Each structure stands twice: as C-alpha cells, then as structure tokens.
Amino acid sequence: IQSIARVADKIVPAMVIIYMVCTFVILGTHVSAIPDAFAAILDGAFTSEAGLGGVIGTMIQGIRRAVFSNEAGIGSAAVAHSAARTNRPVREGTVALLEPFIDTVVVCTLTALAIIVTGVLNDPGNSALIAGKSGAALTAVAFGTVVSWFPHLLALCVFLFAFSTMISWSYY
C-alpha cells in the first residue's frame, strides 16, 4: 500500500493539474462565453424534460457515473482510507470528502464548460466530427478546437487515471 500510495501521490495531482490547466486555457480563450454556458446549464437543468430525464438518468446513467467517476462511488475508497496511518482521522475523513467534490463538482463542471464554450456540441459544422462521440471523445474534440495537441494531454490524463486505478485495485 505504501508504494502504491507513493506512486498515486505523484500521478493523481499531476493528471488533475494537467487537465485543469488545459480547461482553464480553453475557458480563457472563450471567457466571454462562460456566462452563457452557465445559463445554458441552468436553463437545461430546470425544465420538465430535465426532471424526467433526471429521474431516469439517475437510475441508469447517474448510478453508473457515480460508481465509475471515483472510488467513493462504489465504496472502495474506504479501503484505502482505512489503511492510512494517521494521528488525525478527521483530516483523513476530510480528504475522503474532498475526492468526490473535486472529481464531480470541479472537474466535471470544467469539462462541461469546455464542451459548451467551444461549441462542439451544438455546431452543425462539427456534427460529422462528433457523431456518436461522447465522454472523453467529445472532450478531446473540444480540447482540439483550441490547441491542436491538447487531445494528447487529455489522452495522457486518461492513461494516468487508468494506471492509478489499476494499481489501486491491485491492492484492493
């Protein structure tokens, strides 16, 4: 566990920082579109269609995404946190609470904003480019509209996420 923690301690912050820098660059190049993006998110969230979709989505997509978005979703994060040797268990609990917040609120919001402000989701000119693409593929298209090599950084982040997940699960 200690060697896994040392590796993950380097990988996880690196991938989050790389990802956040890329999204901040994207948002910086589209700063005037950010208020409209938040408005689109809020307008879309409070419709009857969103309410019905939310109920169905929670049962199907929401549970799936919560489980695979971070280790807290399936309860395996508790295994790693219980193995921590600390004199401050409250601090460890705070770290455990921050994981889903950073992943779900911060990273997912930045991703949504990057996709919305670049316009790849609703641009008819990009329809062939994004046809059938969602998740990381759609995010890569959005990243590539600002800096041509950003999709490579996204691929690196996905690789680091997969690698850190694999070594963590080898412990579990």
Side-chain angles (χ1 to χ4, degrees):
I1 188 71
Q2 291 164 344
S3 62
I4 291 171
R6 279 192 301 275
V7 171
D9 191 39
K10 306 285 185 291
I11 291 175
V12 174
M15 80 178 161
V16 171
I17 289 169
I18 291 168
Y19 189 82
M20 290 180 74
V21 166
C22 290
T23 55
F24 285 136
V25 168
I26 291 167
L27 295 177
T29 61
H30 295 86
V31 72
S32 63
I34 292 174
D36 291 337
F38 273 116
I41 291 169
L42 292 175
D43 287 345
F46 298 107
T47 64
S48 58
E49 184 180 319
L52 178 60
V55 170
I56 295 169
T58 298
M59 294 186 295
I60 301 167
Q61 287 292 102
I63 293 170
R64 186 181 78 173
R65 289 194 178 179
V67 168
F68 292 106
S69 177
N70 59 61
E71 295 295 321
I74 53 177
S76 58
V79 175
H81 290 292
S82 67
R85 293 184 184 162
T86 181
N87 293 328
R88 298 178 180 167
V90 173
R91 184 175 175 204
E92 189 66 30
T94 304
V95 170
L97 288 171
L98 278 174
E99 291 171 359
F101 174 79
I102 291 170
D103 177 51
T104 306
V105 175
V106 176
V107 173
C108 290
T109 300
L110 288 174
T111 303
L113 287 172
I115 291 169
I116 293 170
V117 301
T118 57
V120 297
L121 189 60
N122 296 320
D123 184 3
N126 284 334
S127 61
L129 187 59
I130 63 168
K133 293 186 178 182
S134 63
L138 181 60
T139 306
V141 172
F143 275 36
T145 63
V146 175
V147 178
S148 63
W149 47 268
F150 269 13
H152 298 292
L153 289 179
L154 178 63
L156 174 66
C157 290
V158 170
F159 171 79
L160 292 174
F161 173 75
F163 182 72
S164 63
T165 300
M166 288 184 338
I167 62 174
S168 298
W169 272 97
S170 70
Y171 171 73
Y172 299 154

